Amino acid sequence: MTHQVPLRAIAVAAAFLGGLAAAQAQETIFYSTQLRPIEEATKVREVLLEGLSGNVTYVVDEPPAFAVRMKAETQAGKRTASVVGALHGELQPHVPDDIQPIDDVVAKVAGRGIPASLMDLGKLGTGKQQYIPWMQATYVMVANKQALQYLPQGADVSTLTYEQLQQWAKNIADKTGQRRLGFPAGPTGLMPRFFQGYLYPSFTGGVVTTFKSPEAEAAWNAMKELWAVSNPNSTNYNFMQEPLLAGEVWIAWDHIARVKEALTLQPDQYVAFPAPAGPKGRGYMPVIAGLAIPKDSPNREGAVAVIDHMTKPETQILTATEVGFFPVVKAELPADLAPGIKQLAAAVDATQNAKDALVSLLPVGLGAKGGEFNKVYSDTFQRIVLRNEPVRTVLQEQAKTLETLMKETGAPCWAPDKPSQGACPVN
């Protein structure tokens, strides 16, 4: 049953795209898992693609549908999309069958200052360039300045620990009678990324191998304490900018694109800063999106033009200001940049350059099963934190589900877990 929705979505999209492709052979279809919400997709179509010659149609899809469709079109020998945009881990499973090496495109972007480390990621473990880095993001904390007076003594927002965050939220609850810490734990919120990129790495130094470790038990107990001082409406929050602007929440964690509006609309009201540190470091998840060209691209020339355009410094700056994803190229953010965007840029910089920063990559190699991976962490959260089931029992049971999933996909470990031969083990 789990595949019915994505497959149906693919059938509809394929029919739609098939019709388009037939109508205009020289059209460039830009197929993306990123910038999917209506407001963001509209910005891509009306602002970010502006000035690009030729007819480009921007089509978005959920990651599971993207994975299935890329494979299905390879098998059918009928490709509709000329260029694709997706996260690093979403592109990985499509090497070498579904995307083509694009070493010739590297020369086009050579002078743009894309860091060598990011270009290297774009090789996806091969000797050839598989994607060109497109944009980057991460997750940050944002606080209403009203909350700062309740910071624990000696605490600094730029170097918070999980213990201090809990104490801070408790101080607010004790003094105001309101629980003002908030998390995006709603149906389409990004809460699984908090566990995978922040809580687990910070407490255990891993994500998969350490899933049921004693350190993981400590992490979940810390999460229970955080939840006890969090706004109970957090299970309904998908984008934290809304409860921040409404004043329901004074301290929030979320993806920069999902808090951007609060900082843009009321920059003087908020501060942005890195997520907290735990015993193993300050876990954080950089989000790298790339642009790739599928095999049998119907319009390769158009695809190269899209990549060239989207990585120009001026387009990259527009991407930051319009949708809150930051440049991968060397691009001086303009002096008149909105103050809220400047704050976010500073918080991203502080996160990446923190002394105790611990990088946790997005899951790699799970293909269409990325949703099942997220569900392991969501289910663990629901059972331990929301239903108060015993931590160790839940971890032992969920570890079996995780182990089965890793074996089925054969996905090797990714950072911060140490590299593995074959499927990443759950120790």
Side-chain angles (χ1 to χ4, degrees), residues 162 165-166 181 183 194 222-230:
Y162 277 93
L165 176 62
Q166 192 274 339
L181 174 63
F183 289 97
F194 176 73
M223 188 67 217
K224 286 174 81 164
E225 290 186 6
L226 279 176
W227 197 257
V229 289
S230 296

Side-chain angles (χ1 to χ4, degrees), residues 138-196:
T138 188
Y139 302 74
V140 293
M141 301 285 299
V142 174
N144 190 308
K145 286 183 180 172
Q146 289 180 81
L148 298 179
Q149 61 190 303
Y150 301 106
L151 270 166
Q153 198 168 357
D156 176 348
V157 291
S158 59
T159 56
L160 272 187
T161 64
Y162 277 93
E163 203 175 337
Q164 288 171 331
L165 176 62
Q166 192 274 339
Q167 188 58 55
W168 186 13
K170 186 178 184 302
N171 291 348
I172 293 170
D174 290 347
K175 296 280 177 22
T176 69
Q178 299 289 326
R179 288 153 61 176
R180 304 278 196 185
L181 174 63
F183 289 97
T188 59
L190 296 173
M191 199 66 187
R193 299 302 189 217
F194 176 73
F195 304 130
Q196 298 156 9

Side-chain angles (χ1 to χ4, degrees), residues 14 18 30 44 51 56 69 79 91 95 98 136 171-172 191 195 226 269 287 296 329 366 379 386 404:
F30 178 3
V44 176
V56 181
R69 180 154 159 230
R79 186 74 62 193
L91 290 168
V95 177
D98 314 312
Q136 62 176 328
N171 291 348
I172 293 170
M191 199 66 187
F195 304 130
L226 279 176
Q269 190 65 51
V287 180
D296 308 314
V329 306
L366 297 173
D379 288 354
L386 302 185
T404 303

